Amino acid sequence: AFGSNAKAEGDYSFATGTSTSSEAYASFTLGGLNTAKGRYSGSLGYYNINKGYAATVVGVHNDSILLNDEIVQSSLTPLFIVG
């Protein structure tokens, strides 16, 4: 983890920026106030939340449409959330 209050909590996860958190296995965050909670997920930009399995959230103020943090694959998981 690099930056101010950046946390890489999941195994093989990476976090950089300000107040970012990579909580799941092999997840990553870049930017400010981002969170990656789904396994193999990524979150880039500002104030994004990613809960999807192997999903990527990019932009500003995006929250995943998923209700739960996904750790297994699902056909309903969006691959990209951009905004």
Side-chain angles (χ1 to χ4, degrees):
F2 299 98
S4 174
N5 200 29
K7 294 184 266 182
E9 298 173 349
D11 291 339
Y12 307 106
S13 65
F14 176 78
T16 185
T18 303
S19 299
T20 62
S21 177
S22 297
E23 300 175 8
Y25 180 88
S27 61
F28 71 93
T29 56
L30 304 166
L33 300 169
N34 290 316
T35 304
K37 296 180 177 184
R39 186 173 277 193
Y40 306 111
S41 67
S43 183
L44 300 91
Y46 178 74
Y47 202 75
N48 295 309
I49 301 170
N50 189 350
K51 300 175 197 164
Y53 180 93
T56 303
V57 176
V58 180
V60 178
H61 293 279
N62 291 307
D63 189 356
S64 178
I65 60 173
L66 303 166
L67 299 177
N68 298 314
D69 305 341
E70 293 187 339
I71 58 171
V72 295
Q73 190 174 8
S74 169
S75 62
L76 301 175
T77 304
L79 183 59
F80 295 106
I81 300 175
V82 180

